[in-house]
Amino acid sequence: MAQENAAFSPGSEEPPRRRGRQRYVEKDGRCNVQQGNVRETYRYLTDLFTTLVDLQWRLSLLFFVLAYALTWLFFGAIWWLIAYGRGDLEHLEDTAWTPCVNNLNGFVAAFLFSIETETTIGYGHRVITDQCPEGIVLLLLQAILGSMVNAFMVGCMFVKISQPNKRAATLVFSSHAVVSLRDGRLCLMFRVGDLRSSHIVEASIRAKLIRSRQTLEGEFIPLHQTDLSVGFDTGDDRLFLVSPLVISHEIDAASPFWEASRRALERDDFEIVVILEGMVEATGMTCQARSSYLVDEVLWGHRFTSVLTLEDGFYEVDYASFHETFEVPTPSCSARELAEAAARLDAHLYWSIPSRLDEKVEEEGAGEGAGGEAGDDKEQNGCLPPPETESKV
């Protein structure tokens, strides 16, 4: 019994911290994985739109400028070749000559005419004539291809600007996860919050345990992923994220931490990745925020400080205390050992209470005399009488 009481003492000495492991997911949600030796690079071109959206902003802007500039140069060169091939450049001063494009006297003029055609500016100084069928075909072709370039590039820029990645920056996770008792059971908990007044619709939370393992056949699996239940069966994983919420993973028999005590947990090497998903209320686009916790960021025997207070007519959230925790009495044993101790305690109470009632009834019976009948056994401690023995023949 003394050992069980000692297990609940919060002031136990902590072992020295080990060197931190390499993160799989950074605290800001960036995945710390780089793709190397990708030889089938043509696959990126099969989905060119996504490739352009995923580019960095400086590369996206460079591609945006080049797409228009090269298109104008390409068609400007063709307009110049048509004028050169028809001899328009040799009859600039001939008023009787009908050129393909009026006032096109060189490559610069052809380039400017290409810009005016594709952007439909139409200053009116350079105009195509009806005596140039090849020019009419080129005009139609440039108008169609120019519209396609506009749609493609404007679509890429719009999707890139409206990406909900920046919305995830206002979804915050607690800097530490904690392990403490909740309703008599060990739970692993972390806190999430939304800094904006516009909410995340249909928000849901997931948690993954990342650690290496070895199979019974000797196969080594690096960065093996295991689901941590955060209320999927009960619907608690679907959040109404108006104020900060504490997400709880109950350490039960199905949990990978079922047999992990405080010391075993501190000696372990793992990473817990938490993922918050939902739709942005303003745009309707899906947003995902991620974070992770290493072994050194899991505090055993701590609980989160409350951040919600009731003011005059409203609730106020104090985000200055969002990451704060405080120590609480928590057993240092594993959840399995705690459950076994609770079962032994329940069994002890189950057998000790009837025995004490029996003793009390016997004392009362002895005080009344020895004339009690055997049929009165059914009245003892509210239990049924023992089964009758078969009569001997």
Side-chain angles (χ1 to χ4, degrees), residues 278-331:
M279 290 188 301
V280 181
E281 188 178 36
T283 63
M285 301 185 70
T286 303
C287 172
Q288 184 181 94
R290 298 179 293 267
S291 187
S292 67
Y293 302 98
L294 298 180
V295 179
D296 297 340
E297 296 167 343
V298 178
L299 304 178
W300 190 287
H302 282 246
R303 189 178 297 162
F304 287 107
T305 304
S306 177
V307 296
L308 195 63
T309 57
L310 177 60
E311 301 296 334
D312 187 11
F314 62 93
Y315 293 95
E316 182 178 1
V317 178
D318 181 17
Y319 276 98
S321 305
F322 182 81
H323 302 285
E324 293 182 1
T325 63
F326 61 94
E327 291 190 59
V328 291
T330 304

Coordinates of all heavy atoms in Angstrom, one line a residue, residues 278-331:
G278 N -10.4 20.9 -41.2 CA -11.7 21.5 -41.2 C -11.8 22.4 -42.4 O -10.9 22.6 -43.2
M279 N -13.0 23.0 -42.6 CA -13.3 24.0 -43.7 C -13.2 25.4 -43.2 O -13.8 25.7 -42.1 CB -14.6 23.6 -44.4 CG -14.6 22.4 -45.1 SD -16.2 22.2 -46.1 CE -17.4 22.2 -44.8
V280 N -12.6 26.3 -43.9 CA -12.5 27.7 -43.6 C -13.9 28.3 -43.8 O -14.5 28.1 -44.9 CB -11.5 28.4 -44.4 CG1 -11.4 29.9 -44.0 CG2 -10.1 27.8 -44.3
E281 N -14.4 28.9 -42.8 CA -15.8 29.4 -42.8 C -16.0 30.5 -43.9 O -17.0 30.6 -44.6 CB -16.2 30.0 -41.5 CG -17.6 30.4 -41.4 CD -18.0 30.9 -40.0 OE1 -17.1 31.6 -39.4 OE2 -19.1 30.7 -39.5
A282 N -14.9 31.3 -44.2 CA -15.0 32.4 -45.1 C -15.0 31.9 -46.6 O -15.7 32.5 -47.4 CB -13.9 33.4 -44.9
T283 N -14.2 30.9 -46.9 CA -14.0 30.4 -48.2 C -14.6 29.1 -48.5 O -14.7 28.7 -49.7 CB -12.5 30.4 -48.6 OG1 -11.8 29.5 -47.7 CG2 -11.9 31.8 -48.4
G284 N -14.8 28.2 -47.5 CA -15.3 26.9 -47.8 C -14.2 25.9 -48.2 O -14.5 24.8 -48.5
M285 N -12.9 26.3 -48.2 CA -11.8 25.5 -48.6 C -11.3 24.7 -47.4 O -11.4 25.1 -46.2 CB -10.7 26.3 -49.2 CG -11.1 27.1 -50.4 SD -9.7 27.9 -51.2 CE -8.8 26.6 -51.9
T286 N -10.8 23.5 -47.6 CA -10.3 22.6 -46.6 C -9.0 23.1 -46.1 O -8.1 23.4 -46.9 CB -10.2 21.2 -47.0 OG1 -11.5 20.7 -47.5 CG2 -9.7 20.2 -45.9
C287 N -8.8 23.1 -44.8 CA -7.6 23.6 -44.1 C -7.1 22.5 -43.2 O -7.9 21.8 -42.6 CB -7.9 24.9 -43.3 SG -6.5 25.4 -42.3
Q288 N -5.8 22.4 -43.1 CA -5.2 21.4 -42.3 C -4.0 22.0 -41.5 O -3.1 22.6 -42.1 CB -4.7 20.2 -43.1 CG -4.1 19.1 -42.2 CD -3.6 17.9 -43.0 OE1 -2.4 17.8 -43.3 NE2 -4.4 16.9 -43.3
A289 N -4.0 21.8 -40.2 CA -2.9 22.3 -39.3 C -2.3 21.1 -38.7 O -3.0 20.2 -38.2 CB -3.4 23.3 -38.3
R290 N -1.0 21.1 -38.5 CA -0.2 20.0 -38.0 C 0.7 20.5 -36.9 O 1.2 21.6 -37.0 CB 0.5 19.2 -39.0 CG -0.4 18.6 -40.1 CD 0.5 17.9 -41.1 NE 1.3 18.8 -41.9 CZ 0.9 19.3 -43.1 NH1 -0.3 19.1 -43.6 NH2 1.7 20.2 -43.7
S291 N 1.1 19.6 -36.0 CA 2.1 19.8 -35.0 C 2.6 18.5 -34.5 O 2.0 17.4 -34.9 CB 1.6 20.7 -33.9 OG 2.7 21.1 -33.0
S292 N 3.6 18.5 -33.6 CA 4.1 17.2 -33.1 C 4.7 17.4 -31.7 O 5.0 18.5 -31.3 CB 5.2 16.6 -34.1 OG 6.3 17.5 -34.1
Y293 N 4.8 16.3 -31.0 CA 5.4 16.3 -29.7 C 6.4 15.1 -29.6 O 6.1 14.0 -29.9 CB 4.3 16.1 -28.7 CG 3.2 17.1 -28.7 CD1 2.0 16.9 -29.3 CD2 3.4 18.3 -28.1 CE1 1.0 17.8 -29.4 CE2 2.4 19.3 -28.1 CZ 1.2 19.0 -28.7 OH 0.2 20.0 -28.8
L294 N 7.6 15.5 -29.2 CA 8.6 14.5 -28.9 C 8.5 14.0 -27.5 O 7.7 14.5 -26.7 CB 10.0 15.1 -29.2 CG 10.3 15.5 -30.6 CD1 11.7 16.1 -30.7 CD2 10.1 14.4 -31.6
V295 N 9.4 13.0 -27.1 CA 9.3 12.5 -25.8 C 9.5 13.6 -24.7 O 8.9 13.6 -23.7 CB 10.4 11.4 -25.6 CG1 10.3 10.8 -24.2 CG2 10.1 10.3 -26.6
D296 N 10.5 14.5 -25.0 CA 10.8 15.5 -24.1 C 9.7 16.6 -23.9 O 9.7 17.4 -23.0 CB 12.1 16.3 -24.5 CG 13.3 15.3 -24.5 OD1 13.2 14.3 -23.8 OD2 14.3 15.6 -25.2
E297 N 8.7 16.5 -24.8 CA 7.6 17.5 -24.8 C 6.4 16.9 -24.2 O 5.3 17.5 -24.3 CB 7.4 18.0 -26.2 CG 8.5 18.8 -26.7 CD 8.4 19.1 -28.2 OE1 7.6 18.5 -28.9 OE2 9.2 20.0 -28.7
V298 N 6.4 15.7 -23.6 CA 5.3 15.1 -22.9 C 5.6 15.1 -21.4 O 6.5 14.5 -20.9 CB 5.1 13.6 -23.4 CG1 4.0 12.9 -22.6 CG2 4.9 13.5 -24.9
L299 N 4.8 15.9 -20.7 CA 5.0 16.1 -19.3 C 4.1 15.2 -18.5 O 2.8 15.2 -18.6 CB 4.6 17.6 -18.9 CG 5.4 18.7 -19.7 CD1 5.0 20.0 -19.3 CD2 6.9 18.5 -19.5
W300 N 4.7 14.3 -17.7 CA 3.9 13.4 -16.9 C 3.5 14.0 -15.6 O 4.3 14.7 -14.9 CB 4.8 12.1 -16.6 CG 4.0 11.0 -16.0 CD1 3.6 10.9 -14.7 CD2 3.6 9.8 -16.6 NE1 2.9 9.7 -14.5 CE2 2.9 9.0 -15.7 CE3 3.8 9.3 -17.9 CZ2 2.4 7.7 -15.9 CZ3 3.3 8.0 -18.2 CH2 2.6 7.3 -17.2
G301 N 2.3 13.9 -15.2 CA 1.8 14.5 -14.0 C 1.5 15.9 -14.0 O 1.7 16.7 -13.0
H302 N 1.1 16.4 -15.2 CA 0.7 17.8 -15.4 C -0.7 17.9 -15.9 O -1.2 17.0 -16.5 CB 1.7 18.5 -16.4 CG 3.0 18.8 -15.7 ND1 3.5 20.1 -15.5 CD2 4.0 18.0 -15.2 CE1 4.7 20.1 -15.0 NE2 5.0 18.9 -14.8
R303 N -1.2 19.1 -15.8 CA -2.6 19.4 -16.3 C -2.5 20.9 -16.8 O -1.8 21.7 -16.4 CB -3.6 19.3 -15.2 CG -5.1 19.4 -15.7 CD -6.0 19.1 -14.5 NE -5.9 17.8 -14.0 CZ -6.3 17.5 -12.8 NH1 -6.9 18.4 -12.0 NH2 -6.2 16.2 -12.3
F304 N -3.4 21.1 -17.8 CA -3.4 22.4 -18.5 C -4.1 23.5 -17.6 O -5.1 23.2 -16.9 CB -4.1 22.4 -19.8 CG -3.2 21.7 -20.9 CD1 -3.6 20.5 -21.4 CD2 -2.1 22.4 -21.4 CE1 -2.8 19.9 -22.3 CE2 -1.3 21.8 -22.4 CZ -1.7 20.5 -22.8
T305 N -3.6 24.7 -17.6 CA -4.2 25.8 -16.9 C -5.4 26.2 -17.6 O -5.4 26.3 -18.8 CB -3.2 26.9 -16.7 OG1 -2.0 26.5 -16.1 CG2 -3.8 28.1 -15.9
S306 N -6.5 26.5 -16.9 CA -7.7 27.0 -17.5 C -7.5 28.3 -18.1 O -6.9 29.2 -17.6 CB -8.9 27.0 -16.5 OG -10.1 27.5 -17.1
V307 N -8.1 28.5 -19.3 CA -7.9 29.8 -20.0 C -9.3 30.5 -20.3 O -9.3 31.6 -20.8 CB -7.2 29.6 -21.4 CG1 -5.8 29.1 -21.2 CG2 -8.0 28.6 -22.3
L308 N -10.3 29.9 -19.9 CA -11.7 30.4 -20.1 C -12.3 31.0 -18.8 O -12.3 30.3 -17.8 CB -12.6 29.3 -20.7 CG -13.9 29.7 -21.3 CD1 -13.6 30.6 -22.6 CD2 -14.7 28.5 -21.7
T309 N -12.7 32.2 -18.9 CA -13.3 32.9 -17.8 C -14.6 33.5 -18.2 O -14.8 33.9 -19.4 CB -12.4 34.0 -17.2 OG1 -12.1 34.9 -18.2 CG2 -11.1 33.4 -16.6
L310 N -15.6 33.6 -17.3 CA -16.9 34.2 -17.5 C -16.9 35.7 -17.2 O -16.6 36.0 -16.0 CB -18.0 33.5 -16.8 CG -19.4 34.0 -16.9 CD1 -19.8 34.0 -18.3 CD2 -20.4 33.2 -16.0
E311 N -17.0 36.5 -18.1 CA -17.1 38.0 -17.9 C -18.6 38.4 -17.9 O -19.5 37.6 -17.9 CB -16.3 38.7 -19.0 CG -14.8 38.3 -19.0 CD -14.1 38.6 -17.7 OE1 -14.5 39.6 -17.0 OE2 -13.1 37.9 -17.4
D312 N -18.8 39.7 -18.0 CA -20.1 40.3 -18.0 C -20.8 40.1 -19.3 O -20.6 40.9 -20.3 CB -20.0 41.8 -17.6 CG -21.4 42.4 -17.4 OD1 -22.4 41.6 -17.4 OD2 -21.6 43.6 -17.4
G313 N -21.5 39.0 -19.5 CA -22.2 38.8 -20.7 C -21.4 38.0 -21.8 O -22.0 37.8 -22.9
F314 N -20.2 37.5 -21.6 CA -19.5 36.8 -22.6 C -18.4 36.0 -21.9 O -18.1 36.2 -20.7 CB -18.9 37.8 -23.6 CG -17.9 38.7 -23.0 CD1 -16.5 38.4 -23.0 CD2 -18.3 39.9 -22.5 CE1 -15.6 39.3 -22.5 CE2 -17.4 40.8 -21.9 CZ -16.0 40.5 -21.9
Y315 N -17.8 35.1 -22.7 CA -16.7 34.3 -22.2 C -15.4 34.9 -22.8 O -15.4 35.2 -24.0 CB -16.8 32.8 -22.6 CG -17.9 32.1 -21.9 CD1 -19.2 32.0 -22.5 CD2 -17.8 31.5 -20.7 CE1 -20.2 31.3 -21.9 CE2 -18.8 30.8 -20.0 CZ -20.0 30.8 -20.7 OH -21.0 30.1 -20.1
E316 N -14.4 34.9 -22.0 CA -13.1 35.5 -22.4 C -12.0 34.4 -22.4 O -11.9 33.6 -21.4 CB -12.7 36.7 -21.6 CG -11.3 37.3 -22.1 CD -11.0 38.5 -21.3 OE1 -11.7 38.8 -20.3 OE2 -9.9 39.1 -21.6
V317 N -11.2 34.3 -23.4 CA -10.1 33.3 -23.5 C -8.8 34.1 -23.3 O -8.5 35.0 -24.0 CB -10.1 32.6 -24.9 CG1 -9.0 31.6 -25.0 CG2 -11.4 31.9 -25.1
D318 N -8.0 33.6 -22.4 CA -6.7 34.2 -22.1 C -5.6 33.4 -22.7 O -5.2 32.3 -22.2 CB -6.5 34.3 -20.6 CG -5.2 34.9 -20.2 OD1 -4.6 35.6 -21.1 OD2 -4.7 34.8 -19.0
Y319 N -5.2 33.8 -23.9 CA -4.2 33.0 -24.6 C -2.8 33.1 -24.0 O -1.9 32.4 -24.4 CB -4.2 33.3 -26.1 CG -5.2 32.6 -26.9 CD1 -6.4 33.2 -27.2 CD2 -5.0 31.3 -27.3 CE1 -7.4 32.5 -27.9 CE2 -6.0 30.6 -28.0 CZ -7.2 31.2 -28.3 OH -8.1 30.6 -29.0
A320 N -2.6 34.0 -23.1 CA -1.4 34.1 -22.4 C -1.1 32.9 -21.5 O 0.1 32.5 -21.3 CB -1.3 35.4 -21.5
S321 N -2.1 32.2 -21.1 CA -2.0 30.9 -20.4 C -2.2 29.7 -21.2 O -2.4 28.6 -20.6 CB -2.9 31.0 -19.2 OG -2.8 32.1 -18.4
F322 N -2.2 29.8 -22.5 CA -2.6 28.7 -23.4 C -1.6 27.5 -23.2 O -2.0 26.4 -23.2 CB -2.7 29.2 -24.8 CG -3.1 28.1 -25.8 CD1 -4.4 27.8 -26.0 CD2 -2.1 27.4 -26.5 CE1 -4.8 26.8 -26.9 CE2 -2.5 26.4 -27.4 CZ -3.8 26.1 -27.6
H323 N -0.4 27.8 -23.1 CA 0.7 26.8 -23.0 C 1.0 26.4 -21.6 O 1.9 25.5 -21.4 CB 1.9 27.2 -23.8 CG 1.7 27.5 -25.2 ND1 1.5 26.6 -26.2 CD2 1.6 28.7 -25.8 CE1 1.3 27.2 -27.3 NE2 1.4 28.5 -27.2
E324 N 0.5 27.0 -20.6 CA 0.9 26.8 -19.2 C 0.2 25.5 -18.7 O -0.9 25.2 -19.0 CB 0.5 28.0 -18.3 CG 1.2 29.3 -18.7 CD 0.8 30.4 -17.7 OE1 0.0 30.2 -16.8 OE2 1.3 31.5 -17.9
T325 N 1.0 24.8 -17.8 CA 0.6 23.6 -17.1 C 0.9 23.7 -15.7 O 1.7 24.5 -15.3 CB 1.2 22.4 -17.8 OG1 2.6 22.4 -17.6 CG2 0.9 22.2 -19.2
F326 N 0.4 22.8 -14.9 CA 0.7 22.8 -13.5 C 0.7 21.3 -13.0 O 0.0 20.5 -13.6 CB -0.2 23.6 -12.6 CG -1.7 23.1 -12.7 CD1 -2.2 22.2 -11.7 CD2 -2.5 23.6 -13.7 CE1 -3.5 21.8 -11.8 CE2 -3.8 23.2 -13.7 CZ -4.3 22.3 -12.8
E327 N 1.5 21.0 -12.0 CA 1.6 19.6 -11.6 C 0.4 19.1 -10.8 O -0.2 19.9 -10.0 CB 2.9 19.4 -10.7 CG 4.2 19.6 -11.5 CD 5.4 19.2 -10.7 OE1 5.4 18.0 -10.3 OE2 6.3 20.0 -10.6
V328 N 0.1 17.9 -10.9 CA -1.0 17.3 -10.2 C -0.6 15.9 -9.8 O 0.3 15.3 -10.4 CB -2.3 17.2 -11.1 CG1 -2.9 18.5 -11.3 CG2 -2.0 16.4 -12.4
P329 N -1.1 15.4 -8.7 CA -0.7 14.0 -8.2 C -1.1 13.0 -9.3 O -2.3 12.9 -9.7 CB -1.5 13.8 -6.9 CG -1.8 15.2 -6.4 CD -2.0 16.0 -7.7
T330 N -0.2 12.2 -9.8 CA -0.4 11.3 -10.8 C 0.5 10.0 -10.6 O 1.6 10.2 -10.2 CB 0.0 11.9 -12.2 OG1 -0.7 13.1 -12.4 CG2 -0.3 10.9 -13.3
P331 N -0.1 8.8 -10.7 CA 0.7 7.6 -10.5 C 1.8 7.5 -11.5 O 1.6 7.9 -12.7 CB -0.3 6.5 -10.6 CG -1.4 7.1 -11.4 CD -1.5 8.5 -11.0

